[in-house]
Amino acid sequence: MTAVPLSRNRNYTLLWGSQAVSEVGFNASLIAFPLVVLAVTGSPAASGVVLAADAIAQLVVGLPGGALVDRWDRRRVMLWCEAVQAVSLVSLALALWQGSASLPHMVFVAAVMGACRALFEPAEDATLPSVVPDSQLATAVAMNSARSSVGQMAGTALGGFLVALGRWVPFAVDAFTHVVAFVGLCFLRVAPRPVTRAPMRHLGREMLDGLRWVWQRPEMRATAVCAVVLNLFFSAYYLVIIVLAQGRGVPSSEIGVMAAMLGVGGVVGALIAPHLVSRLSPHVCIAGVFWALTLLAPMAVFVHNGYLMGALFAGMALLAPTANTTISTHQLLLTPDSMRGRLSGVMNVVVGTAAALGPALGGVLVELLPGSGAVLLCAGGIAIVTVMVTVNPVLRAYPRKDVMA
């Protein structure tokens, strides 16, 4: 029997559509946050504190969040996350409108947003295999990646415009998008699953079970280690490129295009990912993005035009969805439903930690080395991990999706 296309899968379109709206609002408020904090407090350091609160909350809640998602009703987790974010954002929008917003209030809202994402993302990831058949899981994962890229591009562009209308406007719009997402998720229908009533003191053990599950599976361990190193060096590389572009006198408008082209490459890559995954071996799908980065990253030394650098960024992002689709599909199919929340929580924390440390590394490199030297050092780090991926016997024997299913 032929599976219903994803476009006609009611539950998947509800989940995808509700989060497409929510991600636009989230990215709009994310780009607005440092601008608004700076306007309210006059302190660039305060802007950093607010953004750090979001990132720290996401990392701190990541592991326990994944364990809780495996205990609780995942649809309710997603509904509560949307509701809590909407309420917190409304409180901030009202405070800004009345001129009474404070730094602690903004830090609190940022932390709430980070914590809710740390719960929502494992809940959505773990729910996905219950919403689509195994044969369409790779396509669903790729479409979710495209959704994130589109949300980032649209939300980032919208955020600056909304701030110009009023400091409170981006957060009011974000709150509205969470309300829309909440309503959409109310109509989502997922097969019921057992809800665990274990004492909270067992939560630490359950978190360790999630860590152990990832570590004891060689292909998960190998992909996690390589993803950490790649994210660390690429996050550093991204910051180095922005600083280098500013130093070369590249206009801010061109720098904005550079950043946007990462999203463009991600969207195009997500659209072609299902076709590449079905035609190429898993090892080629995974190694492809590493080799693309290795070949393209050093070219930034010779590129002085923001638009050309944007084209390089698009090329770097093009194959990332194919690798992510290959890895995520394999992990979801291999992992039992009772562990999928913890799997997502562990991977989010591991990769998120590397992405958070990367800009700090990039800042140090910019201080210690000339721009070209910092670029080449980051490119060298990416090249080293590319060799690791290419020769690693576990990744070379990575199982195909049809074998896993």
Side-chain angles (χ1 to χ4, degrees):
M1 182 177 177
T2 304
V4 176
L6 287 180
S7 59
R8 291 166 52 195
N9 182 324
R10 174 184 174 277
N11 286 318
Y12 178 72
T13 54
L14 278 171
L15 183 60
W16 192 94
S18 66
Q19 290 316 293
V21 174
S22 181
E23 288 191 24
V24 171
F26 162 71
N27 283 287
S29 64
L30 186 66
I31 195 68
F33 240 132
L35 301 176
V36 171
V37 173
L38 184 60
V40 171
T41 67
S43 169
S47 297
V49 168
V50 171
L51 293 179
D54 176 276
I56 292 170
Q58 196 165 5
L59 292 176
V60 169
V61 178
L63 292 180
L68 291 172
V69 161
D70 285 336
R71 284 181 170 218
W72 296 340
D73 182 298
R74 289 162 181 164
R75 176 175 168 273
R76 289 185 180 180
V77 170
M78 291 189 285
L79 285 169
W80 272 107
C81 286
E82 295 292 5
V84 169
Q85 288 182 92
V87 171
S88 65
L89 286 162
V90 166
S91 75
L92 179 57
L94 288 173
L96 289 166
W97 180 51
Q98 295 171 350
S100 59
S102 65
L103 180 59
H105 188 178
M106 291 185 282
V107 169
F108 172 77
V109 172
V112 167
M113 292 172 65
C116 285
R117 283 203 312 285
L119 281 165
F120 190 99
E121 290 175 4
E124 184 188 13
D125 291 344
T127 299
L128 195 59
S130 302
V131 172
V132 302
D134 290 353
S135 60
Q136 295 178 337
L137 188 57
T139 302
V141 170
M143 291 305 297
N144 283 2
S145 177
R147 180 193 74 195
S148 297
S149 296
V150 171
Q152 182 181 21
M153 288 190 298
T156 300
L158 182 64
F161 171 74
L162 294 177
V163 170
L165 296 179
R167 295 174 185 174
W168 61 274
V169 177
F171 306 104
V173 170
D174 192 10
F176 176 73
T177 64
H178 286 295
V179 171
V180 172
F182 178 89
V183 173
L185 291 173
C186 285
F187 295 95
L188 180 68
R189 296 292 176 262
V190 181
R193 56 185 296 274
V195 178
T196 302
R197 303 294 183 186
M200 289 299 291
R201 65 176 181 272
H202 294 170
L203 190 64
R205 185 179 64 193
E206 293 167 14
M207 291 161 56
L208 289 175
D209 288 342
L211 290 167
R212 194 178 297 115
W213 173 264
V214 172
W215 187 253
Q216 288 179 346
R217 278 142 189 87
E219 67 273 30
M220 288 190 185
R221 185 171 66 243
T223 52
V225 170
C226 292
V228 165
V229 180
L230 181 65
N231 273 272
L232 178 67
F233 281 108
F234 184 75
S235 298
Y237 176 85
Y238 179 79
L239 178 65
V240 169
I241 292 299
I242 298 300
V243 173
L244 183 62
Q246 289 177 327
R248 289 174 172 175
V250 176
S252 58
S253 59
E254 291 187 23
I255 293 177
V257 170
M258 285 165 47
M261 289 303 288
L262 272 174
V264 172
V267 171
V268 175
L271 294 177
I272 65 175
H275 304 286
L276 295 179
V277 169
S278 65
R279 289 165 173 77
L280 302 176
S281 72
H283 183 238
V284 171
C285 289
I286 295 170
V289 65
F290 289 84
W291 276 106
L293 288 167
T294 297
L295 295 174
L296 294 177
M299 295 176 65
V301 172
F302 310 102
V303 175
H304 295 260
N305 180 279
Y307 298 116
L308 288 178
M309 191 63 231
L312 279 181
F313 273 165
M316 293 177 190
L318 188 64
L319 294 179
T322 299
N324 291 337
T325 298
T326 300
I327 294 168
S328 296
T329 303
H330 166 72
Q331 291 176 345
L332 286 172
L333 291 175
L334 177 67
T335 304
D337 180 73
S338 61
M339 291 286 294
R340 282 173 177 158
R342 278 167 282 184
L343 165 70
S344 180
V346 169
M347 298 307 296
N348 287 344
V349 168
V350 168
V351 176
T353 300
L357 293 176
L361 173 62
V364 171
L365 293 178
V366 168
E367 290 288 335
L368 298 178
L369 299 171
S372 297
V375 169
L376 293 175
L377 194 149
C378 292
I382 294 171
I384 290 172
V385 72
T386 298
V387 173
M388 291 169 52
V389 169
T390 303
V391 303
N392 187 285
V394 173
L395 295 180
R396 291 178 67 86
Y398 208 87
R400 296 189 62 87
K401 181 171 66 68
D402 52 359
V403 173
M404 295 183 292

